[in-house]
Amino acid sequence: MKDGPHILVVDDDREIRDLLARFLRKHGFRVETAADGKAMFRTLSAGRFDLVVLDLMLPGEDGLSLCRRVRAESDLPIVMLTAIGEDTDRIVGLEMGADDYLAKPFNPRELLARIRAVLRRAPELQRRSEADPSRTFEFQGWALDAGRRALHAPDGALVDLTGGEFDLLLALVEHPGRVLNRDQLLDLTRGREAGPFDRSVDVQVSRLRRKIEEDPKQPALIKTVRGGGYVFAGAVRERR
């Protein structure tokens, strides 16, 4: 158990914290818990963690604010827990940088699948980068460095991307001119553990457009194909 991924569960409901801790430990994870934001950051500062399960509704500073603070400092994966039916909260959570979300009440096995899907991305991308550390995609002056997981603007400035945004942009530039529907993009970036009505792709596309398009409302690079999905319309050159 001591070599398993290290998870921090943040929820003010002690019963939920204890239940998730027992369940995740049973499946090979190391687990710490926290009841609020202060305890969360105290615990994070005391050790290295691989993922945070973060409840939206917390006493004091809420989950959205905590997510924003974590994302401003690191790419630590975050799975957000939200109230059932609150689509707005879920979308805002993704806007703040959460990697995935799950509505309460939920089956712990579904949370386990989401956690594994999020954690799986990092080692897969790391292996691919280690196999070819100089792999870079260039388009209209932009440079996406797969090895360093970095995006450079035409003026050379480093652009801040969340892990999910980077994975999505990489999937798009690896398939320029090809229409990719949401299911295909989820397969390429997160695996099929995503839910049947998953809007995270749309949210992340919107965020990417604000960062790389001259006019996000009239995108020239990431275009929407009605009823189909998205296509990367820019000319891409891969440099190794």
Side-chain angles (χ1 to χ4, degrees), residues 114-143:
R114 299 293 183 103
I115 289 172
R116 285 174 171 168
V118 171
L119 290 176
R120 187 168 58 242
R121 290 208 302 263
E124 286 179 347
L125 288 167
Q126 183 179 5
R127 284 196 298 271
R128 180 169 62 183
S129 299
E130 289 172 349
D132 190 353
S134 62
R135 194 163 170 259
T136 299
F137 297 87
E138 298 176 343
F139 53 94
Q140 294 190 7
W142 295 81

PDB file of all heavy atoms in Angstrom, residues 114-143:
ATOM      1  N   ARG A 114     -12.950   7.421 -12.166  1.00  0.00           N
ATOM      2  CA  ARG A 114     -12.544   8.774 -12.551  1.00  0.00           C
ATOM      3  C   ARG A 114     -11.120   9.067 -12.075  1.00  0.00           C
ATOM      4  O   ARG A 114     -10.316   9.649 -12.800  1.00  0.00           O
ATOM      5  CB  ARG A 114     -13.505   9.806 -11.958  1.00  0.00           C
ATOM      6  CG  ARG A 114     -14.950   9.685 -12.395  1.00  0.00           C
ATOM      7  CD  ARG A 114     -15.144   9.985 -13.868  1.00  0.00           C
ATOM      8  NE  ARG A 114     -16.531   9.928 -14.243  1.00  0.00           N
ATOM      9  CZ  ARG A 114     -17.300  10.995 -14.438  1.00  0.00           C
ATOM     10  NH1 ARG A 114     -16.810  12.211 -14.279  1.00  0.00           N
ATOM     11  NH2 ARG A 114     -18.562  10.850 -14.806  1.00  0.00           N
ATOM     12  N   ILE A 115     -10.811   8.685 -10.833  1.00  0.00           N
ATOM     13  CA  ILE A 115      -9.474   8.913 -10.294  1.00  0.00           C
ATOM     14  C   ILE A 115      -8.433   8.189 -11.132  1.00  0.00           C
ATOM     15  O   ILE A 115      -7.390   8.756 -11.503  1.00  0.00           O
ATOM     16  CB  ILE A 115      -9.405   8.458  -8.821  1.00  0.00           C
ATOM     17  CG1 ILE A 115     -10.208   9.412  -7.933  1.00  0.00           C
ATOM     18  CG2 ILE A 115      -7.957   8.364  -8.346  1.00  0.00           C
ATOM     19  CD1 ILE A 115     -10.349   8.945  -6.496  1.00  0.00           C
ATOM     20  N   ARG A 116      -8.694   6.932 -11.452  1.00  0.00           N
ATOM     21  CA  ARG A 116      -7.736   6.161 -12.239  1.00  0.00           C
ATOM     22  C   ARG A 116      -7.542   6.765 -13.632  1.00  0.00           C
ATOM     23  O   ARG A 116      -6.418   6.779 -14.169  1.00  0.00           O
ATOM     24  CB  ARG A 116      -8.203   4.719 -12.345  1.00  0.00           C
ATOM     25  CG  ARG A 116      -7.995   3.918 -11.055  1.00  0.00           C
ATOM     26  CD  ARG A 116      -8.598   2.535 -11.143  1.00  0.00           C
ATOM     27  NE  ARG A 116      -8.208   1.707 -10.005  1.00  0.00           N
ATOM     28  CZ  ARG A 116      -8.765   0.546  -9.710  1.00  0.00           C
ATOM     29  NH1 ARG A 116      -9.758   0.074 -10.465  1.00  0.00           N
ATOM     30  NH2 ARG A 116      -8.340  -0.153  -8.671  1.00  0.00           N
ATOM     31  N   ALA A 117      -8.631   7.260 -14.231  1.00  0.00           N
ATOM     32  CA  ALA A 117      -8.528   7.862 -15.559  1.00  0.00           C
ATOM     33  C   ALA A 117      -7.669   9.115 -15.531  1.00  0.00           C
ATOM     34  O   ALA A 117      -6.831   9.337 -16.405  1.00  0.00           O
ATOM     35  CB  ALA A 117      -9.924   8.191 -16.093  1.00  0.00           C
ATOM     36  N   VAL A 118      -7.867   9.962 -14.513  1.00  0.00           N
ATOM     37  CA  VAL A 118      -7.078  11.189 -14.406  1.00  0.00           C
ATOM     38  C   VAL A 118      -5.610  10.862 -14.139  1.00  0.00           C
ATOM     39  O   VAL A 118      -4.708  11.440 -14.757  1.00  0.00           O
ATOM     40  CB  VAL A 118      -7.648  12.100 -13.297  1.00  0.00           C
ATOM     41  CG1 VAL A 118      -6.707  13.273 -13.029  1.00  0.00           C
ATOM     42  CG2 VAL A 118      -9.021  12.618 -13.690  1.00  0.00           C
ATOM     43  N   LEU A 119      -5.354   9.928 -13.231  1.00  0.00           N
ATOM     44  CA  LEU A 119      -3.975   9.573 -12.901  1.00  0.00           C
ATOM     45  C   LEU A 119      -3.258   8.897 -14.062  1.00  0.00           C
ATOM     46  O   LEU A 119      -2.042   9.023 -14.203  1.00  0.00           O
ATOM     47  CB  LEU A 119      -3.946   8.640 -11.682  1.00  0.00           C
ATOM     48  CG  LEU A 119      -4.323   9.265 -10.339  1.00  0.00           C
ATOM     49  CD1 LEU A 119      -4.342   8.192  -9.258  1.00  0.00           C
ATOM     50  CD2 LEU A 119      -3.344  10.364  -9.964  1.00  0.00           C
ATOM     51  N   ARG A 120      -4.012   8.178 -14.888  1.00  0.00           N
ATOM     52  CA  ARG A 120      -3.393   7.445 -15.989  1.00  0.00           C
ATOM     53  C   ARG A 120      -2.769   8.378 -17.026  1.00  0.00           C
ATOM     54  O   ARG A 120      -1.803   8.027 -17.698  1.00  0.00           O
ATOM     55  CB  ARG A 120      -4.436   6.543 -16.656  1.00  0.00           C
ATOM     56  CG  ARG A 120      -3.825   5.619 -17.704  1.00  0.00           C
ATOM     57  CD  ARG A 120      -4.803   4.546 -18.151  1.00  0.00           C
ATOM     58  NE  ARG A 120      -6.013   5.126 -18.679  1.00  0.00           N
ATOM     59  CZ  ARG A 120      -7.226   4.935 -18.158  1.00  0.00           C
ATOM     60  NH1 ARG A 120      -7.363   4.211 -17.059  1.00  0.00           N
ATOM     61  NH2 ARG A 120      -8.290   5.479 -18.694  1.00  0.00           N
ATOM     62  N   ARG A 121      -3.304   9.566 -17.167  1.00  0.00           N
ATOM     63  CA  ARG A 121      -2.810  10.468 -18.204  1.00  0.00           C
ATOM     64  C   ARG A 121      -1.341  10.816 -18.016  1.00  0.00           C
ATOM     65  O   ARG A 121      -0.564  10.805 -18.952  1.00  0.00           O
ATOM     66  CB  ARG A 121      -3.623  11.767 -18.207  1.00  0.00           C
ATOM     67  CG  ARG A 121      -5.025  11.616 -18.696  1.00  0.00           C
ATOM     68  CD  ARG A 121      -5.505  12.913 -19.303  1.00  0.00           C
ATOM     69  NE  ARG A 121      -5.437  14.022 -18.366  1.00  0.00           N
ATOM     70  CZ  ARG A 121      -6.471  14.444 -17.652  1.00  0.00           C
ATOM     71  NH1 ARG A 121      -7.631  13.842 -17.757  1.00  0.00           N
ATOM     72  NH2 ARG A 121      -6.352  15.472 -16.832  1.00  0.00           N
ATOM     73  N   ALA A 122      -0.960  11.143 -16.801  1.00  0.00           N
ATOM     74  CA  ALA A 122       0.403  11.630 -16.562  1.00  0.00           C
ATOM     75  C   ALA A 122       1.470  10.600 -16.943  1.00  0.00           C
ATOM     76  O   ALA A 122       2.373  10.911 -17.706  1.00  0.00           O
ATOM     77  CB  ALA A 122       0.562  12.068 -15.112  1.00  0.00           C
ATOM     78  N   PRO A 123       1.396   9.349 -16.450  1.00  0.00           N
ATOM     79  CA  PRO A 123       2.437   8.393 -16.835  1.00  0.00           C
ATOM     80  C   PRO A 123       2.427   8.068 -18.318  1.00  0.00           C
ATOM     81  O   PRO A 123       3.468   7.839 -18.918  1.00  0.00           O
ATOM     82  CB  PRO A 123       2.122   7.146 -15.987  1.00  0.00           C
ATOM     83  CG  PRO A 123       0.729   7.326 -15.505  1.00  0.00           C
ATOM     84  CD  PRO A 123       0.503   8.790 -15.418  1.00  0.00           C
ATOM     85  N   GLU A 124       1.249   8.033 -18.953  1.00  0.00           N
ATOM     86  CA  GLU A 124       1.204   7.749 -20.388  1.00  0.00           C
ATOM     87  C   GLU A 124       1.903   8.849 -21.165  1.00  0.00           C
ATOM     88  O   GLU A 124       2.702   8.598 -22.071  1.00  0.00           O
ATOM     89  CB  GLU A 124      -0.250   7.615 -20.856  1.00  0.00           C
ATOM     90  CG  GLU A 124      -0.914   6.317 -20.426  1.00  0.00           C
ATOM     91  CD  GLU A 124      -2.346   6.225 -20.893  1.00  0.00           C
ATOM     92  OE1 GLU A 124      -2.894   7.255 -21.329  1.00  0.00           O
ATOM     93  OE2 GLU A 124      -2.909   5.126 -20.818  1.00  0.00           O
ATOM     94  N   LEU A 125       1.612  10.089 -20.820  1.00  0.00           N
ATOM     95  CA  LEU A 125       2.236  11.210 -21.512  1.00  0.00           C
ATOM     96  C   LEU A 125       3.727  11.269 -21.205  1.00  0.00           C
ATOM     97  O   LEU A 125       4.531  11.609 -22.068  1.00  0.00           O
ATOM     98  CB  LEU A 125       1.551  12.514 -21.107  1.00  0.00           C
ATOM     99  CG  LEU A 125       0.150  12.688 -21.696  1.00  0.00           C
ATOM    100  CD1 LEU A 125      -0.555  13.836 -20.997  1.00  0.00           C
ATOM    101  CD2 LEU A 125       0.224  12.932 -23.186  1.00  0.00           C
ATOM    102  N   GLN A 126       4.096  10.917 -19.980  1.00  0.00           N
ATOM    103  CA  GLN A 126       5.507  10.921 -19.611  1.00  0.00           C
ATOM    104  C   GLN A 126       6.276   9.889 -20.418  1.00  0.00           C
ATOM    105  O   GLN A 126       7.365  10.161 -20.922  1.00  0.00           O
ATOM    106  CB  GLN A 126       5.661  10.644 -18.123  1.00  0.00           C
ATOM    107  CG  GLN A 126       7.113  10.700 -17.656  1.00  0.00           C
ATOM    108  CD  GLN A 126       7.239  10.459 -16.177  1.00  0.00           C
ATOM    109  OE1 GLN A 126       6.274  10.167 -15.493  1.00  0.00           O
ATOM    110  NE2 GLN A 126       8.451  10.560 -15.671  1.00  0.00           N
ATOM    111  N   ARG A 127       5.704   8.676 -20.573  1.00  0.00           N
ATOM    112  CA  ARG A 127       6.386   7.643 -21.353  1.00  0.00           C
ATOM    113  C   ARG A 127       6.536   8.093 -22.798  1.00  0.00           C
ATOM    114  O   ARG A 127       7.566   7.887 -23.429  1.00  0.00           O
ATOM    115  CB  ARG A 127       5.591   6.332 -21.277  1.00  0.00           C
ATOM    116  CG  ARG A 127       5.750   5.598 -19.967  1.00  0.00           C
ATOM    117  CD  ARG A 127       5.267   4.169 -20.122  1.00  0.00           C
ATOM    118  NE  ARG A 127       3.871   4.107 -20.457  1.00  0.00           N
ATOM    119  CZ  ARG A 127       2.888   4.067 -19.580  1.00  0.00           C
ATOM    120  NH1 ARG A 127       3.168   4.127 -18.287  1.00  0.00           N
ATOM    121  NH2 ARG A 127       1.629   3.980 -19.964  1.00  0.00           N
ATOM    122  N   ARG A 128       5.492   8.700 -23.355  1.00  0.00           N
ATOM    123  CA  ARG A 128       5.551   9.145 -24.742  1.00  0.00           C
ATOM    124  C   ARG A 128       6.607  10.237 -24.905  1.00  0.00           C
ATOM    125  O   ARG A 128       7.356  10.247 -25.869  1.00  0.00           O
ATOM    126  CB  ARG A 128       4.188   9.672 -25.187  1.00  0.00           C
ATOM    127  CG  ARG A 128       4.186  10.146 -26.630  1.00  0.00           C
ATOM    128  CD  ARG A 128       2.781  10.401 -27.112  1.00  0.00           C
ATOM    129  NE  ARG A 128       2.140  11.451 -26.351  1.00  0.00           N
ATOM    130  CZ  ARG A 128       0.879  11.815 -26.541  1.00  0.00           C
ATOM    131  NH1 ARG A 128       0.142  11.213 -27.433  1.00  0.00           N
ATOM    132  NH2 ARG A 128       0.347  12.779 -25.812  1.00  0.00           N
ATOM    133  N   SER A 129       6.689  11.146 -23.927  1.00  0.00           N
ATOM    134  CA  SER A 129       7.660  12.223 -23.996  1.00  0.00           C
ATOM    135  C   SER A 129       9.075  11.690 -23.832  1.00  0.00           C
ATOM    136  O   SER A 129      10.005  12.149 -24.495  1.00  0.00           O
ATOM    137  CB  SER A 129       7.369  13.264 -22.915  1.00  0.00           C
ATOM    138  OG  SER A 129       6.084  13.824 -23.101  1.00  0.00           O
ATOM    139  N   GLU A 130       9.258  10.704 -22.915  1.00  0.00           N
ATOM    140  CA  GLU A 130      10.582  10.153 -22.716  1.00  0.00           C
ATOM    141  C   GLU A 130      11.064   9.415 -23.960  1.00  0.00           C
ATOM    142  O   GLU A 130      12.246   9.409 -24.279  1.00  0.00           O
ATOM    143  CB  GLU A 130      10.572   9.195 -21.516  1.00  0.00           C
ATOM    144  CG  GLU A 130      10.430   9.925 -20.185  1.00  0.00           C
ATOM    145  CD  GLU A 130      10.238   8.974 -19.034  1.00  0.00           C
ATOM    146  OE1 GLU A 130      10.014   7.766 -19.314  1.00  0.00           O
ATOM    147  OE2 GLU A 130      10.301   9.413 -17.871  1.00  0.00           O
ATOM    148  N   ALA A 131      10.127   8.799 -24.700  1.00  0.00           N
ATOM    149  CA  ALA A 131      10.503   8.081 -25.911  1.00  0.00           C
ATOM    150  C   ALA A 131      11.005   9.049 -26.974  1.00  0.00           C
ATOM    151  O   ALA A 131      11.856   8.710 -27.787  1.00  0.00           O
ATOM    152  CB  ALA A 131       9.319   7.279 -26.438  1.00  0.00           C
ATOM    153  N   ASP A 132      10.491  10.279 -27.010  1.00  0.00           N
ATOM    154  CA  ASP A 132      10.903  11.271 -27.991  1.00  0.00           C
ATOM    155  C   ASP A 132      10.805  12.653 -27.344  1.00  0.00           C
ATOM    156  O   ASP A 132       9.840  13.380 -27.550  1.00  0.00           O
ATOM    157  CB  ASP A 132      10.015  11.189 -29.235  1.00  0.00           C
ATOM    158  CG  ASP A 132      10.573  12.029 -30.374  1.00  0.00           C
ATOM    159  OD1 ASP A 132      11.563  12.760 -30.137  1.00  0.00           O
ATOM    160  OD2 ASP A 132      10.043  11.956 -31.483  1.00  0.00           O
ATOM    161  N   PRO A 133      11.796  13.017 -26.539  1.00  0.00           N
ATOM    162  CA  PRO A 133      11.699  14.249 -25.764  1.00  0.00           C
ATOM    163  C   PRO A 133      11.706  15.522 -26.592  1.00  0.00           C
ATOM    164  O   PRO A 133      11.369  16.586 -26.086  1.00  0.00           O
ATOM    165  CB  PRO A 133      12.934  14.170 -24.853  1.00  0.00           C
ATOM    166  CG  PRO A 133      13.888  13.282 -25.585  1.00  0.00           C
ATOM    167  CD  PRO A 133      13.029  12.277 -26.280  1.00  0.00           C
ATOM    168  N   SER A 134      12.095  15.441 -27.870  1.00  0.00           N
ATOM    169  CA  SER A 134      12.175  16.656 -28.687  1.00  0.00           C
ATOM    170  C   SER A 134      10.932  16.862 -29.554  1.00  0.00           C
ATOM    171  O   SER A 134      10.944  17.707 -30.442  1.00  0.00           O
ATOM    172  CB  SER A 134      13.421  16.595 -29.584  1.00  0.00           C
ATOM    173  OG  SER A 134      13.336  15.489 -30.475  1.00  0.00           O
ATOM    174  N   ARG A 135       9.887  16.108 -29.322  1.00  0.00           N
ATOM    175  CA  ARG A 135       8.680  16.169 -30.143  1.00  0.00           C
ATOM    176  C   ARG A 135       7.957  17.496 -29.924  1.00  0.00           C
ATOM    177  O   ARG A 135       7.457  17.784 -28.844  1.00  0.00           O
ATOM    178  CB  ARG A 135       7.784  14.995 -29.735  1.00  0.00           C
ATOM    179  CG  ARG A 135       6.645  14.653 -30.640  1.00  0.00           C
ATOM    180  CD  ARG A 135       6.196  13.246 -30.278  1.00  0.00           C
ATOM    181  NE  ARG A 135       4.950  12.897 -30.922  1.00  0.00           N
ATOM    182  CZ  ARG A 135       3.784  12.919 -30.320  1.00  0.00           C
ATOM    183  NH1 ARG A 135       3.704  13.295 -29.064  1.00  0.00           N
ATOM    184  NH2 ARG A 135       2.688  12.564 -30.957  1.00  0.00           N
ATOM    185  N   THR A 136       7.882  18.326 -30.974  1.00  0.00           N
ATOM    186  CA  THR A 136       7.259  19.641 -30.878  1.00  0.00           C
ATOM    187  C   THR A 136       6.352  19.873 -32.080  1.00  0.00           C
ATOM    188  O   THR A 136       6.706  19.511 -33.207  1.00  0.00           O
ATOM    189  CB  THR A 136       8.324  20.752 -30.826  1.00  0.00           C
ATOM    190  OG1 THR A 136       9.143  20.569 -29.670  1.00  0.00           O
ATOM    191  CG2 THR A 136       7.679  22.130 -30.756  1.00  0.00           C
ATOM    192  N   PHE A 137       5.202  20.467 -31.830  1.00  0.00           N
ATOM    193  CA  PHE A 137       4.250  20.786 -32.886  1.00  0.00           C
ATOM    194  C   PHE A 137       4.206  22.305 -33.062  1.00  0.00           C
ATOM    195  O   PHE A 137       4.011  23.036 -32.091  1.00  0.00           O
ATOM    196  CB  PHE A 137       2.860  20.245 -32.550  1.00  0.00           C
ATOM    197  CG  PHE A 137       2.803  18.748 -32.433  1.00  0.00           C
ATOM    198  CD1 PHE A 137       3.086  18.130 -31.221  1.00  0.00           C
ATOM    199  CD2 PHE A 137       2.486  17.965 -33.530  1.00  0.00           C
ATOM    200  CE1 PHE A 137       3.050  16.745 -31.108  1.00  0.00           C
ATOM    201  CE2 PHE A 137       2.441  16.578 -33.428  1.00  0.00           C
ATOM    202  CZ  PHE A 137       2.725  15.972 -32.225  1.00  0.00           C
ATOM    203  N   GLU A 138       4.367  22.769 -34.298  1.00  0.00           N
ATOM    204  CA  GLU A 138       4.367  24.200 -34.580  1.00  0.00           C
ATOM    205  C   GLU A 138       3.183  24.557 -35.468  1.00  0.00           C
ATOM    206  O   GLU A 138       2.871  23.840 -36.421  1.00  0.00           O
ATOM    207  CB  GLU A 138       5.671  24.605 -35.266  1.00  0.00           C
ATOM    208  CG  GLU A 138       6.906  24.363 -34.399  1.00  0.00           C
ATOM    209  CD  GLU A 138       8.195  24.679 -35.135  1.00  0.00           C
ATOM    210  OE1 GLU A 138       8.166  24.762 -36.389  1.00  0.00           O
ATOM    211  OE2 GLU A 138       9.232  24.842 -34.457  1.00  0.00           O
ATOM    212  N   PHE A 139       2.500  25.659 -35.126  1.00  0.00           N
ATOM    213  CA  PHE A 139       1.358  26.112 -35.922  1.00  0.00           C
ATOM    214  C   PHE A 139       1.209  27.627 -35.752  1.00  0.00           C
ATOM    215  O   PHE A 139       1.143  28.136 -34.647  1.00  0.00           O
ATOM    216  CB  PHE A 139       0.059  25.403 -35.502  1.00  0.00           C
ATOM    217  CG  PHE A 139      -0.252  25.468 -34.032  1.00  0.00           C
ATOM    218  CD1 PHE A 139      -1.072  26.473 -33.512  1.00  0.00           C
ATOM    219  CD2 PHE A 139       0.276  24.539 -33.148  1.00  0.00           C
ATOM    220  CE1 PHE A 139      -1.357  26.545 -32.159  1.00  0.00           C
ATOM    221  CE2 PHE A 139      -0.001  24.607 -31.782  1.00  0.00           C
ATOM    222  CZ  PHE A 139      -0.821  25.614 -31.286  1.00  0.00           C
ATOM    223  N   GLN A 140       1.242  28.320 -36.870  1.00  0.00           N
ATOM    224  CA  GLN A 140       1.071  29.778 -36.914  1.00  0.00           C
ATOM    225  C   GLN A 140       1.915  30.510 -35.872  1.00  0.00           C
ATOM    226  O   GLN A 140       1.446  31.418 -35.187  1.00  0.00           O
ATOM    227  CB  GLN A 140      -0.407  30.140 -36.758  1.00  0.00           C
ATOM    228  CG  GLN A 140      -1.255  29.661 -37.929  1.00  0.00           C
ATOM    229  CD  GLN A 140      -2.663  30.209 -37.919  1.00  0.00           C
ATOM    230  OE1 GLN A 140      -3.017  31.061 -37.104  1.00  0.00           O
ATOM    231  NE2 GLN A 140      -3.483  29.738 -38.847  1.00  0.00           N
ATOM    232  N   GLY A 141       3.152  30.085 -35.732  1.00  0.00           N
ATOM    233  CA  GLY A 141       4.065  30.732 -34.801  1.00  0.00           C
ATOM    234  C   GLY A 141       4.055  30.158 -33.399  1.00  0.00           C
ATOM    235  O   GLY A 141       4.954  30.442 -32.601  1.00  0.00           O
ATOM    236  N   TRP A 142       3.040  29.356 -33.075  1.00  0.00           N
ATOM    237  CA  TRP A 142       2.962  28.715 -31.767  1.00  0.00           C
ATOM    238  C   TRP A 142       3.824  27.450 -31.759  1.00  0.00           C
ATOM    239  O   TRP A 142       4.035  26.825 -32.800  1.00  0.00           O
ATOM    240  CB  TRP A 142       1.522  28.333 -31.446  1.00  0.00           C
ATOM    241  CG  TRP A 142       0.603  29.495 -31.294  1.00  0.00           C
ATOM    242  CD1 TRP A 142       0.003  30.191 -32.303  1.00  0.00           C
ATOM    243  CD2 TRP A 142       0.183  30.116 -30.078  1.00  0.00           C
ATOM    244  NE1 TRP A 142      -0.776  31.206 -31.790  1.00  0.00           N
ATOM    245  CE2 TRP A 142      -0.687  31.182 -30.424  1.00  0.00           C
ATOM    246  CE3 TRP A 142       0.445  29.877 -28.733  1.00  0.00           C
ATOM    247  CZ2 TRP A 142      -1.287  31.995 -29.481  1.00  0.00           C
ATOM    248  CZ3 TRP A 142      -0.146  30.679 -27.778  1.00  0.00           C
ATOM    249  CH2 TRP A 142      -1.004  31.731 -28.152  1.00  0.00           C
ATOM    250  N   ALA A 143       4.296  27.051 -30.593  1.00  0.00           N
ATOM    251  CA  ALA A 143       5.080  25.824 -30.458  1.00  0.00           C
ATOM    252  C   ALA A 143       4.600  25.049 -29.236  1.00  0.00           C
ATOM    253  O   ALA A 143       4.674  25.551 -28.107  1.00  0.00           O
ATOM    254  CB  ALA A 143       6.562  26.147 -30.323  1.00  0.00           C
TER     255      ALA A 143
END
